[in-house]
Amino acid sequence: MTSVLAAALGAQASLLRPEVAEYVAGAPSPGDAAGSESAPSPVAGSGQPRRGVGEGLFTRAGSPLRGLLALARPLVGPGLLITRWERDVPFRIVNAPTGSAALAAHRSFCFEGGEQVAEDVLVPTGRPGGLLDLLGRERRIEVALRASATEAGHLLLESTGVRVRLGRAHVPLPGPLGVSVRVEGGFDDELGRHTIAARIANPLVGTVLAYTGWFDYRYED
């Protein structure tokens, strides 16, 4: 099965550097001798996809807005807002397929003041480069993303629009009410590890969530 990221990138996937391309393409099918471990694939004999697990260190993570973000929790729901802003933050991410070609991510930030969690689900749109990211445990915030490959061969996800789900309505958040999202996944040759740099920002209040760091990636049944 083609991963949600690979499907969105299409021909641009060939522009990724090898380590990033493996991450995007997913784990090999059962019996594949390549042994690459990157994105979920079914476990032989079980019919269940494998979970991708990343563990590493953010050199900086959270939001400078800190506790002020808690004021927005009634609107966005749980599993999204991070109210700490610290350096050298250990983290763990679990990527698991869910539904039709979708990918759910559960990120655990291990701050000195305690663990906080951010969740989202990536779903395909069927358009070239198009993804929809459903943020938070209750998926109330919907971010339209464009996937592409950078000149350095990294994976780049950039927002093109944001909506909030209010009951059955999906309301666009324009200009000062919205957020911009930028996520870049690469690989550091010196460290021999995957890298990640992400920022969610609002035009009025600045950084809502940001994290930069490295991680090792494996697969678990």
Side-chain angles (χ1 to χ4, degrees):
M1 178 186 294
T2 302
S3 74
V4 63
L5 290 171
L9 282 168
Q12 284 212 36
S14 65
L15 303 178
L16 299 172
R17 58 175 296 159
E19 301 86 354
V20 179
E22 289 181 2
Y23 177 86
V24 165
S29 300
D32 191 326
S36 169
E37 296 187 339
S38 299
S41 68
V43 178
S46 71
Q48 297 298 317
R50 302 170 71 194
R51 302 186 311 161
V53 178
E55 294 179 318
L57 186 74
F58 290 136
T59 56
R60 189 67 152 165
S63 173
L65 298 174
R66 297 181 173 88
L68 289 175
L69 288 176
L71 298 174
R73 190 163 286 132
L75 174 65
V76 305
L80 176 57
L81 300 175
I82 302 297
T83 59
R84 308 285 297 187
W85 183 233
E86 296 180 7
R87 295 186 183 276
D88 300 327
V89 179
F91 76 95
R92 187 174 194 263
I93 180 171
V94 177
N95 290 323
T98 176
S100 177
L103 185 66
H106 184 281
R107 299 173 187 81
S108 300
F109 297 74
C110 301
F111 294 109
E112 291 184 2
E115 182 182 275
Q116 296 194 24
V117 171
E119 304 177 31
D120 71 286
V121 176
L122 272 179
V123 298
T125 65
R127 298 187 298 272
L131 291 166
L132 187 63
D133 200 8
L134 310 179
L135 305 182
R137 192 171 304 156
E138 297 178 357
R139 323 299 186 220
R140 296 184 191 175
I141 305 298
E142 304 175 351
V143 181
L145 296 172
R146 178 179 60 251
S148 63
T150 70
E151 291 185 1
H154 294 176
L155 169 67
L156 180 62
L157 302 177
E158 296 179 293
S159 59
T160 59
V162 182
R163 299 186 303 181
V164 60
R165 180 170 56 81
L166 299 173
R168 295 184 177 181
H170 298 259
V171 182
L173 295 178
L177 297 179
V179 294
S180 62
V181 178
R182 188 182 192 277
V183 182
E184 184 171 343
F187 192 85
D188 188 301
D189 288 317
E190 292 186 5
L191 291 176
R193 286 166 163 159
H194 292 276
T195 60
I196 186 71
R199 183 172 186 256
I200 301 176
N202 171 269
L204 296 180
V205 301
T207 299
V208 176
L209 174 64
Y211 49 86
T212 302
W214 56 263
F215 63 98
D216 296 315
Y217 204 66
R218 67 181 186 276
Y219 274 81
E220 296 180 351
D221 296 342

